[in-house]
Amino acid sequence: MSNQFAQPTITTAQIRGLLLGTLPSDELASVQRNLKQLRREDVDLPTIFVGTGTCGLGAGAAYTLEAVKAYVAEHRMECHIVEVGCVGICSEEPLVEIQMPGRTRISFHHVTAPKVAPLFDAFFGGVVAEELSLYQIRKPGLQPWDGVGFMDKHPFFGPQTRWVLANCGIIDPKSLDEYVAWGGYEALAKTLAHHTPVEVIDIMEKSGLRGRGGGGFPAGRKWRLAQQTEGDQKYLICNADEGDPGAFMDRAVIEGDPHRLIEGMAIASYAIGASKAYVYIRAEYPLAIAHLKKAIAQATEAGLLGENILGSGFNLRLIIKMGAGAFVCGEETALMNSIEGKRGMPRPRPPYPAQSGLFGKPSCINNVETLANVPVVMGKGADWFGATGTAGSHGTKVFALSGKVSRTGLVEVAMGTTIRQIVFDVGGGIPNGKAYKAVQIGGPSGGCIPTQHLDIQVDYENLKTVGAMMGSGGLVVMDEDNCMVDIAKFFMDFIQRESCGKCIPCREGTRRMLEILNSITRSRRNETGVQALERFQGVVYMQQLAEVIRDTSLCGLGQTAPNPVLSTLRYFKDEYEAHIFERRCPSHACKELLTYSIQEEKCIGCTACARKCPTQAIMGTRKAPHYIVPDKCIACGSCAEACKFGAVHVA
Ligand SMILES: Cc1cc2nc3c(=O)[nH]c(=O)nc-3n(C[C@H](O)[C@H](O)[C@H](O)COP(=O)(O)O)c2cc1C
């Protein structure tokens, strides 16, 4: 937090005393007062919050922050300026929120640097800029702003159940005090004081928390396996590799609320008997790494990490290991190789990590979101946690909503919420009046969900019945302009480049699949007879090839590599057929398959298209209709862009 007027702080000794319940009553009263202020139940001075998570920074929040500071300095304002993480609604960044003494916290969106001064002039002059106001946060006892909706009624936030994201965008992620003020580390203190490791595992199993990294393996069961294996050293590993295209949940949690992850990791380490824990995080997440480093230092200083945590005798060292960003390094055995300093390649299982993991020792690997759920489970109890969700999938799931949807960002919903609710209620539907086509869920390992399954409930088992999977939480929305063959090609291209090359089915098979997809989306103009035969042969064998890759690859990367093709084939076979038999892309996305012609009745012979055509494929004289020589046309689309009369027809 940067400000010239200090906010209350609590000492590390007070934090320990508070968590252990050993603070003398007079000190407790003053600490409670400070905690109240840290929660901003009311503020003593105007408090300005700027969202400076990666999404905010991408939208210009660093300049917004500078403009805020400049305004404050220029007007000699007495105020606090607080940097917060992403609140979830990334498409509205940069976000600025203001809390005045006695008033609720109000949020403004799209506040780029030039808008700061006019917004503040109006606001501090008593006028709320209607076009920039987004919501206000309801708080009993504080006077609300007229004409501004509440966050809990906002279509994006209203349907959500924010447990993992509860603090994101609300608290200063660089402040341990603020995390503690919101109940942070209470679950750890309670766990260490009242539960044996086996009891913790029983609670986790009872809660039904399943791994949020993709597979959905029950967290408690995994912990028990690691706990029961004998070993002089055990490791807990947090998987923060987050390599799926379209996924950014883990990054936002670490950036916006790093202590939640540390608390979850401490509880998990205690349960399995680990004294060392690693966070494997990609180096491309510098802000998350910086926040995590700071949080680890703070927690260590406060005695929440390190030796004899909260006097319990439990020790834990937490180490950050930066990964180089290969997708396969998110696979647990490749990840362990990478931590060990070896090349990030998978190893066969068994042995499973719980038996012989990192450096050959019993290890347990969990995803960021799984571990961020742990303080919720231990704090609120297994029954409370299990009461939300479906029969087989308890709690919530965070999705990274992106693509052709009006509101993009991080969405945390109760398990059992339908895809329709996520896309149309939370996300606000498809922009520009276009029709929904599908969502790609679960990244490259996942599948797509077409219109007929929009009402499917988010649940590990349900999603499998329609050929998709929960995955880690990437949810990319596609509209009628997206070509599903092109989408399959995009993922196959990604997988093929990311295949580590260790096993043949994945290394060679994904390459062959990509060749087939390329061949059916490429122009046939210069194709030889042999190439045409190969193309048809490839198409005929595509399904079989996909099944062989799935069944024989060494790790999950290869085993799930054909999913995008199988899933799009299942629901959009007609699009494949149009590409293969008619050499046509119905969505007009595969550029090489487009055919261009000039409509005589609309062409006035202005020559704009002919002048732009890079291959001189357009013939005609001035003031007379032009025409395109098909053999010369490379389907670049320059003519359609150049024509001001809509005379170029694209099919
Ligand atoms: C190619 C590949 C990439 C993966 N990437 C990630 C990842 O980035 N983050 C993650 O948590 N799990 C990832 N996984 C799953 C992990 O192998 C592992 O199952 C997971 O971290 C276990 O945590 P959980 O039980 O909490 O879900 C990946 C798996 C594969 C096959």
Side-chain angles (χ1 to χ4, degrees):
M1 200 198 66
S2 68
N3 66 300
Q4 60 275 56
F5 305 97
Q7 291 212 96
T9 52
I10 35 179
T11 65
T12 53
Q14 286 173 333
I15 290 177
R16 279 194 300 276
L18 189 74
L19 294 172
L20 293 169
T22 54
L23 277 185
S25 55
D26 53 335
E27 195 176 356
L28 181 64
S30 87
V31 169
Q32 293 289 14
R33 264 197 309 279
N34 285 349
L35 292 175
K36 226 171 142 179
Q37 269 183 282
L38 284 163
R39 285 195 297 274
R40 302 194 178 83
E41 289 185 9
D42 197 356
V43 290
D44 54 346
L45 290 173
T47 306
I48 303 167
F49 306 83
V50 183
T52 51
T54 295
C55 53
L57 294 174
Y63 302 110
T64 302
L65 182 64
E66 268 175 39
V68 168
K69 286 180 180 167
Y71 186 95
V72 165
E74 193 188 330
H75 292 77
R76 296 175 194 279
M77 274 177 67
E78 292 197 357
C79 70
H80 303 297
I81 300 172
V82 185
E83 288 182 56
V84 293
C86 171
V87 74
I89 190 159
C90 306
S91 50
E92 304 300 316
E93 297 278 3
L95 286 185
V96 171
E97 299 187 348
I98 308 177
Q99 187 173 347
M100 300 294 283
R103 307 296 303 262
T104 57
R105 180 163 161 178
I106 180 169
S107 176
F108 298 97
H109 60 148
H110 296 311
V111 188
T112 47
K115 292 186 191 166
V116 169
L119 170 72
F120 283 12
D121 281 344
F123 184 81
F124 295 114
V127 180
V128 171
E130 214 173 283
E131 70 288 359
L132 291 183
S133 66
L134 190 60
Y135 56 76
Q136 57 182 321
I137 301 177
R138 195 189 298 276
K139 186 151 284 173
L142 297 186
Q143 191 192 341
W145 298 90
D146 289 338
V148 181
F150 287 102
M151 187 185 190
D152 53 24
K153 294 282 175 220
H154 189 281
F156 183 82
F157 295 100
Q160 296 195 43
T161 305
R162 288 166 62 92
W163 293 355
V164 169
L165 300 180
N167 291 340
C168 289
I170 303 294
I171 68 165
D172 176 356
K174 288 181 276 201
S175 164
L176 169 64
D177 295 359
E178 285 198 29
Y179 183 67
V180 170
W182 285 91
Y185 288 108
E186 276 175 20
L188 174 65
K190 186 170 132 187
T191 302
L192 296 180
H194 301 294
H195 298 295
T196 63
V198 171
E199 283 169 4
V200 178
I201 291 172
D202 290 342
I203 294 170
M204 290 314 290
E205 277 217 79
K206 191 165 176 230
S207 76
L209 174 65
R210 296 172 67 170
R212 304 296 197 236
F217 194 82
R221 206 184 310 160
K222 198 188 269 191
W223 293 11
R224 197 178 299 283
L225 292 172
Q227 196 267 339
Q228 285 175 344
T229 312
E230 292 291 324
D232 53 348
Q233 174 71 62
K234 294 183 189 179
Y235 295 104
L236 177 84
I237 303 168
C238 168
N239 190 342
D241 191 56
E242 196 160 60
D244 289 16
F248 48 92
M249 309 76 50
D250 297 346
R251 188 200 70 209
V253 170
I254 301 177
E255 280 180 9
D257 196 11
H259 282 288
R260 179 183 295 276
L261 176 62
I262 295 174
E263 186 177 3
M265 288 184 73
I267 296 171
S269 301
Y270 170 72
I272 66 165
S275 57
K276 256 193 202 170
Y278 285 86
V279 181
Y280 186 85
I281 182 167
R282 53 181 43 233
E284 294 96 323
Y285 282 179
L287 192 63
I289 293 168
H291 285 190
L292 191 59
K293 267 189 188 159
K294 190 171 177 87
I296 291 173
Q298 288 170 336
T300 308
E301 200 194 327
L304 302 166
L305 285 178
E307 302 289 309
N308 191 20
I309 296 172
L310 294 174
S312 65
F314 164 57
N315 307 327
L316 179 64
R317 210 174 125 216
L318 217 157
I319 302 155
I320 296 177
K321 170 73 189 170
M322 281 190 269
F327 177 53
V328 75
C329 285
E331 194 281 332
E332 57 190 25
T333 59
L335 184 154
M336 290 187 298
N337 273 342
S338 180
I339 295 181
E340 289 173 12
K342 300 182 190 139
R343 205 166 150 184
M345 281 179 157
R347 12 173 144 143
R349 291 175 308 177
Y352 290 96
Q355 302 156 314
S356 172
L358 189 61
F359 302 113
K361 305 289 182 189
S363 307
C364 173
I365 302 182
N366 276 125
N367 165 261
V368 172
E369 191 185 330
T370 315
L371 292 163
N373 265 294
V374 171
V376 182
V377 175
M378 293 311 295
K380 303 268 188 180
D383 291 336
W384 183 91
F385 184 88
T388 295
T390 62
S393 304
H394 296 177
T396 63
K397 179 75 195 89
V398 182
F399 289 103
L401 185 62
S402 65
K404 307 279 187 66
V405 62
S406 297
R407 290 184 284 266
T408 58
L410 284 181
V411 173
E412 184 175 2
V413 288
M415 295 279 190
T417 306
T418 65
I419 296 289
R420 187 188 296 280
Q421 286 169 310
I422 298 174
V423 174
F424 289 91
D425 298 346
V426 178
I430 317 298
N432 307 320
K434 298 277 179 178
Y436 169 92
K437 188 181 255 185
V439 291
Q440 169 72 25
I441 183 167
S445 322
C448 58
I449 299 180
T451 315
Q452 64 265 39
H453 294 308
L454 261 174
D455 290 309
I456 190 154
Q457 292 184 318
V458 167
D459 166 298
Y460 288 97
E461 274 68 39
N462 270 351
L463 291 173
K464 282 188 202 149
T465 63
V466 295
M469 63 185 282
M470 185 82 83
S472 61
L475 231 166
V476 186
V477 184
M478 284 161 288
D479 72 5
E480 58 191 282
D481 290 341
N482 287 106
C483 163
M484 299 313 283
V485 181
D486 193 45
I487 296 290
K489 194 170 84 172
F490 168 83
F491 281 113
M492 194 48 68
D493 180 51
F494 174 82
I495 288 285
Q496 182 270 143
R497 278 184 289 113
E498 293 290 336
S499 170
C500 76
K502 186 168 180 176
C503 73
I504 296 169
C506 177
R507 184 183 68 220
E508 297 302 323
T510 54
R511 216 176 277 176
R512 294 290 87 79
M513 284 204 89
L514 180 63
E515 275 173 13
I516 297 167
L517 292 170
N518 275 334
S519 76
I520 63 177
T521 51
R522 194 177 290 146
S523 160
R524 239 171 27 186
R525 196 169 298 113
N526 300 318
E527 191 178 68
T528 64
V530 177
Q531 284 167 332
L533 268 177
E534 280 171 357
R535 177 163 55 80
F536 276 113
Q537 197 182 23
V539 170
V540 170
Y541 287 121
M542 186 150 68
Q543 179 106 16
Q544 204 179 335
L545 176 60
E547 283 161 7
V548 171
I549 299 171
R550 184 188 64 196
D551 296 340
T552 59
S553 290
L554 171 62
C555 84
L557 190 146
Q559 287 155 9
T560 57
N563 282 2
V565 173
L566 293 173
S567 163
T568 47
L569 254 177
R570 175 169 171 178
Y571 295 114
F572 300 96
K573 200 158 177 243
D574 52 333
E575 288 196 26
Y576 277 87
E577 285 171 354
H579 284 73
I580 295 165
F581 303 123
E582 300 166 39
R583 308 298 299 147
R584 191 172 64 78
C585 173
S587 314
H588 293 180
C590 300
K591 290 265 180 287
E592 288 196 37
L593 294 187
L594 298 182
T595 53
Y596 290 81
S597 58
I598 295 175
Q599 295 164 282
E600 226 181 292
E601 66 283 6
K602 288 190 182 167
C603 177
I604 62 152
C606 71
T607 76
C609 58
R611 278 182 279 125
K612 280 278 175 196
C613 177
T615 56
Q616 285 84 46
I618 302 179
M619 304 290 168
T621 48
R622 202 166 182 54
K623 298 200 175 157
H626 282 43
Y627 65 95
I628 298 174
V629 181
D631 278 354
K632 283 186 157 190
C633 175
I634 56 164
C636 67
S638 315
C639 51
E641 274 170 36
C643 181
K644 293 196 174 65
F645 305 95
V648 178
H649 178 68
V650 190

